Every structure is written in structure tokens, then in C-alpha cells.
């Protein structure tokens, strides 16, 4: 009897698995051979096409000196083109308890972003850029860590000062001497609680947008718990961007609003 | 039966012995059960000894012993400067001192709040241990976090170690070490800052020696968890003047090569000036943290000990303040 069931199971798996894998098309090999990537792929790339692609450049420190503030930058400019532009970019961390970090739609901005994350342990950091043809291009880097980033209370939470500065925004433009590079940096005061510290529920910024005076959206950013306290973000703008006064708007998961005029 | 078994038995024993003599195994056995620091007191002037730590980053192979400690044997007893990174270090340091002199240990000084300056204090529980009030407050505030960190890095070397802040608050102006003065030694304490909020310097104006603590890193990249570069540079200027005024011949920095202590002042100053300028310019041109840590390091600092890990820490610890300053401009 049991043999019969076993045989049935084997038949079932041989039947089902080729069907399942036929819908997710992948090429290339995970450079870090991470076991967690298998489930990450199942969760975020099921039924989609993806390729490991060096044109999505990801950089971070070799070691997470401060596990609460691990600086990461991605640059996918080599990948994007007029005919096949990047639609969105998703950042995932294989071995974090909360693995989704952000989803960026650069729209009028360059597909480049610098940010800081909390890292629970040594892990690959994945940056997945989806081009217009619906293909995901995966770039990765590896950061070593002694650990503890996601399950530690952040500084302003520990000293209780967060409520005085919640959602205050500072922004600044930096233009290189040759005018070819325009950078916009923003710092938003928020405790960014992961919900993984006992007694402190998840409390984080959910969405940020930059709009112009006609309410046209220049960039959209969804951010999640692993982004560090008081998110500090560096956006890059195309060289010929006109000097318009833009506005940064957003909200956190408790409904608190963020709004700030970005002045030149 | 016995005859058949004997060769087999011999073979098993031989294989087992061979396994025991594998270098990896014996080394592990040694560090796991009998960790021993290389504590070799060196005379640097009359009655003045230094126990040099490794010029490196904290790691398991050096047992987190990267500090230069010292002791001075006076007619009025022994004065110990810094008690090292662990209880084990303190115990072995004390044994080494007691093997050299029959004079009693009368006082232990912790020059700042960092763990390797005071984590051996448990081994001197019967002796007064002095530090400045600010330093004691810092040890009390951060001691447990230090312990977590060092246990994580150095494991068994730390066995039994607990943070035990200094027992006596000393006021440098009060000249509290005058009881140790004799024909050969005259002590003076000076409180400077910048490496931490309170950096104690001990000078012996007769032996012409200065224990300069964390203010000077000799051929080693500085550590900056509590640093303020502006104050640090000002303190180095003051220190240079103190050395000149008192005709000090030898300075003992807490980290790095002792032989080149004087050169260490210049090295520390040059590095701090370079680091300050780098962080300022980077913040003003809008670089993000991740871009600053990729900065190439000038050749004059390339062969400093602990270059990679400490430069990364320097930037991660200090850059956010420079960024904030630029944001608020």
C-alpha cells in the first residue's frame, strides 16, 4: 500500500515540477549559491523571467561595521536604454528576517540609489531591476556581519527622542563643477522600527514620491522595515534636469504624512 | 585472539596519536583550554616596564590583546597603567609583575573608557583602581556592550570577564600620584580629550617618560568610536608642548609600536588631518557613506596596522556627523 502511495507521489512530482519550473525562466547562476535565494525567487519571481546580470552594479562594505547602518548603493545605468528602460528596482536581502528592503521606480531619475539598511547577519544583497520587456535583471553583493541589526532597538527609540523629530525632512542638491552630475540627498527623521524588538511594533515609512508643481511624479519609492533609522537617501538626476522646485511627499504605516518642498 | 587484535590495536593507537599531533587540533586544544597571552615586560627606563600588545585589530589569534600596558616600580610600591582586555590578561599581567618585583602593587590607572584599558580590573579587586570621573561614567554606561563585543570576537579568551569600572574617581589637578614620587620618579597626570571625552596622560618628569594612552597611535590607524577630531588635534598640540617642556624622551602609546612613539604623534596628526579633510570634502560634494568608504588611502598610511577594518570604522562612525552638518547649512 505504502509503496503504491510513494509511486503515486513520485509521479505527481515528476508531473508537477516541470510545469512549475517552466513558468519561471531563469538564466545565469547565483554568484553566492545562497540557499535562501531559492525561496526568495519563489516568493518574488514566480512565473517571471530573470537573469543574473552584472550590469546591475551593487556595492556595500565588506563588513557591516554598524549592523544598524549598512550603506548600500546600486547603479543600473548600464542596463537601461531608451527602447527598454527600467520600470522598477527591488532590493532584497537573503538572510534578513524581513527580506524586502525597497521598491524604486526611478521615472525621471537615474536608476541609481544610495541608502542604508539593517542587517541581521552576513548575507547577499540583491538588486532586481525590471526592464520594460518584463525581464528581471539581478545584481548582488555580499556583506559580512557580526549581526543583530534587525532585532536591536534604534538610537532614537532607545533614548525616546524620536517623537520630537518624526517625519522632519532635510534635503540638499549637490551639483558637480562640470554640471554633469546632479545629486539630491534627503534625510527623513523616523525610527523605522522593524517590529522585531520586543514591545515595539513595526513603525516605518511606507512610501515616498517626488512631484513637480503640476503633480507629475518624478520618482516613487516604497520602503520597508530594513531601511535604517532616519533614512538618508541619495538620488541621482540626469545632467540636463531643469531646476524646478520639487516636493517630497510620503507617509508611514501609521498614517503620518511627510511633505517637504525641495529647494534649490 | 589477542595476537590478531594486537596489530589492529596498534594501528588504532597510531592513527589516534597521529590525529592528536595534527597542528590544527593541538592549536585548537591550546587556545580552547590553556590560552596564554604573550606577556613579556620590557624595561624602557629605570623601573619602568611596558608589556606590548600586538599592533593589529582585535582578533581571536591575539586574544584581543592589542594594547600596550605598563607598570612602574617605585620605592612606594608598584603603579600599573591599564589592565588589558580580559580578566585572564589582568591575572597574567599581575603574575608577571609579581615575578619581577616583591614590592606591592598599590594602584592601577585606567587611562580611558575603552575595554582594553580596564577589562583586567577584576584581577586587581583588592587594589584601588583610578580613572577620571568622565571615564568611569563611560565605563559604567558602555561596559556591557563592550563585553558582548569582545566575547563575540575573542570567545574563550574572555572567560569570566565582566566590566568592572575603576573604583576611584581621580582629579588630575589633585596630583594624586604624588605618594609614588621618590628620588627616581615624579608623576603628573594631565587630562586631555579628543580620542575620547577624557584621555588621561601620565608623565614621569624624572624618568622622562610619558604614557600617552589613546591620543597616539603608532604606525596604526586610529580608533574613533568616541572621537572628536578637532579636540583630538588640539590635544596633540598640547601633548607636544608637554613633551617639550618636560624633556620627555620616551612616549608609550596605548596602541602600536613603542619604539617609534614620538613618530606616532606626527603619524596620528597627519592621519587625523587627512581623515577630517576627506570627510568634510566628501560631505560637501554630496557623497554617500558607501562612496566614502571606497576612497583610496594615501601611500603614507598604507602600511599602518589595521588599515582596512579601522578606516571603514572611522568613516562609518564619523561621517554621519559631517553629513548632518552639511544638511543643516
Amino acid at each position: 500500500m505504502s509503496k503504491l502511495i510513494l509511486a503515486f507521489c513520485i509521479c505527481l512530482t515528476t508531473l508537477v515540477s516541470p510545469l512549475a519550473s517552466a513558468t519561471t525562466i531563469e538564466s545565469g547562476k547565483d554568484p553566492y549559491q545562497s540557499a535562501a535565494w531559492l525561496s526568495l525567487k519563489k516568493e518574488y519571481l514566480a512565473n517571471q523571467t530573470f537573469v543574473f546580470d552584472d550590469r546591475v552594479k551593487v556595492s556595500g562594505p565588506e563588513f557591516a561595521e554598524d549592523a544598524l547602518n549598512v550603506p548600500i548603493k546600486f547603479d543600473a545605468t548600464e542596463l537601461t536604454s531608451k527602447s527598454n528602460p527600467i520600470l522598477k528596482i527591488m532590493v532584497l536581502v537573503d538572510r534578513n528576517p524581513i527580506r524586502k528592503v525597497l521598491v524604486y521606480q526611478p521615472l525621471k531619475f537615474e536608476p541609481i540609489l544610495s541608502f542604508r539598511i539593517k542587517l541581521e547577519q552576513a548575507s547577499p544583497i540583491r538588486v532586481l531591476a525590471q526592464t520594460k520587456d518584463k525581464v528581471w535583471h539581478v545584481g548582488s553583493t555580499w556583506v559580512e556581519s557580526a549581526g543583530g541589526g534587525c532585532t536591536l532597538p534604534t538610537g532614537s527609540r532607545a533614548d525616546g527622542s524620536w517623537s520630537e523629530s518624526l517625519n522632519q525632512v532635510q534635503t540638499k542638491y549637490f551639483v558637480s563643477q562640470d554640471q554633469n552630475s546632479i545629486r539630491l540627498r534627503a534625510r527623513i527623521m523616523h525610527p523605522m522600527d522593524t517590529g522585531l524588538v520586543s514591545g515595539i511594533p513595526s513603525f516605518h515609512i511606507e512610501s515616498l514620491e517626488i512631484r513637480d508643481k503640476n503633480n507629475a511624479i518624478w520618482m516613487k519609492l516604497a520602503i520597508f522595515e530594513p531601511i535604517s533609522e532616519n533614512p538618508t537617501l541619495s538620488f541621482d538626476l540626469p545632467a540636463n534636469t531643469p531646476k524646478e522646485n520639487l516636493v517630497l511627499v510620503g507617509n508611514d504605516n501609521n498614517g503620518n504624512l511627510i511633505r517637504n518642498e525641495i529647494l534649490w | 585472539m589477542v595476537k590478531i587484535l594486537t596489530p589492529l590495536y596498534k594501528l588504532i593507537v597510531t592513527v589516534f596519536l597521529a590525529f592528536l599531533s595534527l597542528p590544527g587540533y593541538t592549536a585548537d586544544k591550546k587556545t580552547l583550554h590553556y590560552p596564554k597571552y604573550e606577556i613579556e615586560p620590557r624595561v624602557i627606563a629605570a623601573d619602568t616596564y611596558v608589556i606590548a600588545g600586538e599592533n593589529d585589530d582585535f582578533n581571536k589569534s591575539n586574544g584581543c590583546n592589542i594594547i600596550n600596558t605598563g607598570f612602574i616600580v617605585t620605592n612606594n610600591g608598584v603603579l600599573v597603567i591599564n589592565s588589558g582586555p580580559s580578566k585572564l590578561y589582568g591575572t597574567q599581567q599581575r603574575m608577571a609583575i609579581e615575578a619581577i618585583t616583591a614590592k606591592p602593587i598599590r594602584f592601577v590607572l585606567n587611562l580611558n573608557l575603552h575595554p582594553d584599558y580596564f577589562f583586567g580590573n577584576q584581577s586587581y579587586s583588592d587594589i584601588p583602581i583610578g580613572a577620571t570621573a568622565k571615564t568611569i561614567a563611560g565605563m559604567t554606561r558602555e561596559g556591557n556592550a563592550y563585553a558582548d563585543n569582545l566575547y563575540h570576537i575573542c570567545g574563550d579568551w574572555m572567560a569570566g570577564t565582566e566590566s568592572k569600572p575603576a573604583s576611584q574617581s581621580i582629579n588630575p589637578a589633585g596630583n594624586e600620584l604624588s605618594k609614588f614620587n621618590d628620588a627616581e620618579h615624579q608623576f603628573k597626570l594631565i587630562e586631555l580629550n579628543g580620542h575620547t571625552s577624557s584621555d588621561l596622560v601620565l608623565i614621569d618628569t624624572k624618568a622622562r617618560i610619558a604614557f600617552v594612552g589613546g591620543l597616539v597611535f603608532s604606525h596604526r590607524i586610529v580608533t574613533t568610536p568616541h572621537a572628536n577630531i578637532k579636540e583630538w588635534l588640539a590635544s596633540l598640540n598640547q601633548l607636544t608642548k608637554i613633551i617639550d617642556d618636560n624633556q620627555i624622551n620616551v612616549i608609550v602609546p596605548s596602541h602600536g609600536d613603542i619604539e617609534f612613539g614620538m613618530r606616532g604623534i606626527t603619524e596620528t596628526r597627519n592621519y587625523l588631518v587627512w581623515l577630517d579633510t576627506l570627510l568634510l570634502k566628501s560631505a560637501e560634494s554630496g557623497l554617500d557613506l558607501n562612496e566614502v568608504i571606497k576612497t583610496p588611502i594615501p601611500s603614507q598610511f598604507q602600511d599602518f596596522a589595521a588599515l582596512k577594518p579601522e578606516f571603514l570604522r572611522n568613516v562609518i562612525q564619523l561621517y554621519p556627523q559631517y553629513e548632518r552638518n552639511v544638511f543643516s547649512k
Side-chain angles (χ1 to χ4, degrees):
Chain A
M1 184 59 191
S2 64
K3 270 186 188 169
L4 211 81
I5 293 172
L6 191 68
F8 177 73
C9 287
I10 292 170
C11 278
L12 198 71
T13 22
T14 44
L15 270 174
V16 169
S17 60
L19 280 176
S21 65
T23 46
T24 304
I25 303 166
E26 64 178 277
S27 65
K29 215 170 123 186
D30 174 13
Y32 298 107
Q33 295 292 297
S34 151
W37 172 249
L38 302 176
S39 67
L40 214 55
K41 171 169 98 174
K42 216 180 250 170
E43 193 173 342
Y44 295 98
L45 296 172
N47 307 327
Q48 302 185 64
T49 305
F50 74 92
V51 54
F52 288 98
D53 194 331
D54 290 341
R55 286 175 296 175
V56 180
K57 302 202 184 315
V58 191
S59 70
E62 279 175 38
F63 189 83
E65 202 39 63
D66 174 0
L68 289 169
N69 281 292
V70 181
I72 304 291
K73 178 185 180 182
F74 63 73
D75 181 342
T77 39
E78 272 185 39
L79 174 69
T80 200
S81 64
K82 273 217 171 83
S83 57
N84 193 22
I86 290 172
L87 301 179
K88 60 181 170 187
I89 299 168
M90 177 161 60
V91 178
L92 303 171
V93 177
D94 287 33
R95 299 192 196 165
N96 256 4
I98 301 170
R99 306 194 289 184
K100 197 174 188 179
V101 177
L102 61 84
V103 181
Y104 183 43
Q105 291 170 258
L107 304 172
K108 288 190 166 193
F109 283 16
E110 296 286 1
I112 303 171
L113 189 68
S114 298
F115 50 96
R116 288 159 210 180
I117 65 167
K118 288 168 268 196
L119 198 61
E120 183 62 17
Q121 57 177 309
S123 175
I125 316 288
R126 313 287 184 177
V127 175
L128 297 76
Q130 191 183 37
T131 39
K132 198 180 160 196
D133 59 8
K134 297 289 175 194
V135 176
W136 287 95
H137 303 260
V138 184
S140 325
T141 191
W142 175 278
V143 181
E144 275 298 326
S145 175
C150 286
T151 48
L152 288 173
T154 54
S156 67
R157 180 58 79 178
D159 68 17
S161 66
W162 65 272
S163 62
E164 292 157 27
S165 55
L166 185 72
N167 288 343
Q168 285 177 11
V169 181
Q170 289 176 306
T171 55
K172 202 172 177 73
Y173 281 108
F174 298 88
V175 183
S176 66
Q177 283 183 339
D178 59 12
Q179 308 283 314
N180 280 334
S181 119
I182 305 171
R183 171 165 283 187
L184 173 62
R185 302 197 72 200
R187 180 164 181 259
I188 306 146
M189 303 302 286
H190 202 286
M192 297 296 291
D193 297 312
T194 57
L196 302 173
V197 180
S198 178
I200 307 174
S202 162
F203 180 39
H204 65 91
I205 299 175
E206 269 181 345
S207 87
L208 292 172
E209 284 178 13
I210 291 179
R211 297 183 192 157
D212 62 21
K213 58 180 185 296
N214 302 320
N215 246 358
I217 300 171
W218 286 38
M219 79 88 199
K220 256 179 123 138
L221 181 64
I223 70 180
F224 300 89
E225 293 91 332
I227 290 284
S228 301
E229 179 187 21
N230 304 334
T232 304
L233 306 159
S234 297
F235 302 96
D236 287 299
L237 283 70
N240 51 0
T241 307
K243 279 194 178 183
E244 283 190 46
N245 281 343
L246 302 173
V247 59
L248 176 76
V249 293
N251 63 275
D252 65 25
N253 64 342
N254 278 20
N256 300 302
L257 299 180
I258 298 162
R259 187 182 171 86
N260 183 74
E261 308 278 336
I262 306 167
L263 300 176
W264 275 91
Chain B
M1 191 63 184
V2 174
K3 273 183 187 170
I4 303 165
L5 270 183
T6 311
L8 186 66
Y9 173 70
K10 271 188 184 165
L11 183 71
I12 291 169
V13 170
T14 319
V15 169
F16 182 66
L17 287 178
F19 176 68
L20 278 185
S21 64
L22 286 174
Y25 183 80
T26 46
D28 262 7
K29 196 174 160 194
K30 200 175 155 195
T31 45
L32 281 176
H33 301 290
Y34 312 107
K36 201 166 178 335
Y37 287 104
E38 279 179 39
I39 292 194
E40 289 160 7
R42 240 159 68 193
V43 182
I44 54 162
D47 320 313
T48 307
Y49 298 80
V50 167
I51 303 166
E54 212 168 300
N55 190 5
D56 200 352
D57 194 8
F58 285 133
N59 62 48
K60 206 161 194 169
S61 68
N62 59 35
C64 286
N65 173 23
I66 59 166
I67 188 162
N68 303 321
T69 66
F71 59 97
I72 303 163
V73 183
T74 74
N75 289 333
N76 307 314
V78 181
L79 172 62
V80 180
I81 300 119
N82 295 332
S83 61
S86 63
K87 182 184 181 189
L88 185 72
Y89 183 99
T91 305
Q92 293 180 3
Q93 180 194 42
R94 189 167 179 171
M95 281 165 61
I97 296 169
E98 287 168 350
I100 283 175
T101 176
K103 295 220 169 75
I105 298 173
R106 283 265 155 79
F107 200 73
V108 179
L109 256 184
N110 300 144
L111 296 179
N112 73 34
L113 81 168
H114 289 154
D116 43 348
Y117 289 64
F118 81 100
F119 265 23
N121 283 0
Q122 277 167 291
S123 307
Y124 296 96
S125 54
D126 54 331
I127 292 164
I129 304 175
T132 64
K134 269 187 192 167
T135 293
I136 293 175
M139 290 167 165
T140 310
R141 190 178 62 238
E142 304 198 28
N144 290 337
Y146 292 154
D148 285 351
N149 189 33
L150 290 194
Y151 269 87
H152 190 92
I153 301 169
C154 287
D156 295 316
W157 290 93
M158 301 303 295
T161 307
E162 284 171 27
S163 166
K164 185 175 179 289
S167 53
Q168 282 188 11
S169 154
I170 49 175
N171 170 17
N175 204 8
E176 297 181 44
L177 295 181
S178 58
K179 56 179 179 258
F180 289 97
N181 292 349
D182 61 17
E184 314 282 326
H185 305 281
Q186 187 157 17
F187 297 106
K188 219 157 109 182
L189 283 170
I190 299 147
E191 186 182 11
L192 299 172
N193 61 356
H195 171 59
T196 72
S197 64
S198 170
D199 298 300
L200 207 51
V201 171
L202 169 70
I203 63 171
D204 180 342
T205 54
K206 281 200 173 147
R208 295 188 176 167
I209 285 185
F211 283 83
V212 297
L215 288 171
V216 177
F217 283 72
S218 175
H219 226 60
R220 188 195 190 282
I221 302 291
V222 301
T223 65
T224 52
H226 301 98
N228 177 315
I229 295 185
K230 295 264 172 328
E231 289 172 359
W232 193 337
L233 287 169
S235 287
L236 285 177
N237 288 342
Q238 262 179 282
L239 187 62
T240 309
K241 190 171 181 305
I242 292 163
I243 288 166
D244 288 346
D245 292 351
N246 294 284
Q247 295 173 306
I248 301 292
N249 295 323
V250 178
I251 68 165
V252 182
S254 288
H255 301 283
D257 305 337
I258 309 159
E259 290 81 0
F260 305 106
M262 291 288 191
R263 189 185 68 183
I265 297 183
T266 315
E267 288 176 342
T268 305
R269 185 185 287 124
N270 289 349
Y271 180 79
L272 288 174
V273 168
W274 171 74
L275 185 65
D276 185 43
T277 313
L278 170 73
L279 299 182
L280 189 70
K281 286 197 168 154
S282 302
E284 282 173 351
S285 54
L287 294 189
D288 208 298
L289 194 47
N290 189 49
E291 293 156 330
V292 186
I293 60 175
K294 313 279 188 217
T295 310
I297 295 160
S299 60
Q300 65 178 122
F301 311 123
Q302 281 287 346
D303 63 343
F304 281 19
L307 176 76
K308 263 174 86 170
E310 292 297 6
F311 172 68
L312 175 62
R313 278 178 209 138
N314 294 160
V315 177
I316 301 266
Q317 289 158 353
L318 299 174
Y319 192 59
Q321 185 58 52
Y322 289 77
E323 278 180 318
R324 285 196 287 276
N325 293 346
V326 168
F327 269 125
S328 12
K329 264 184 195 172

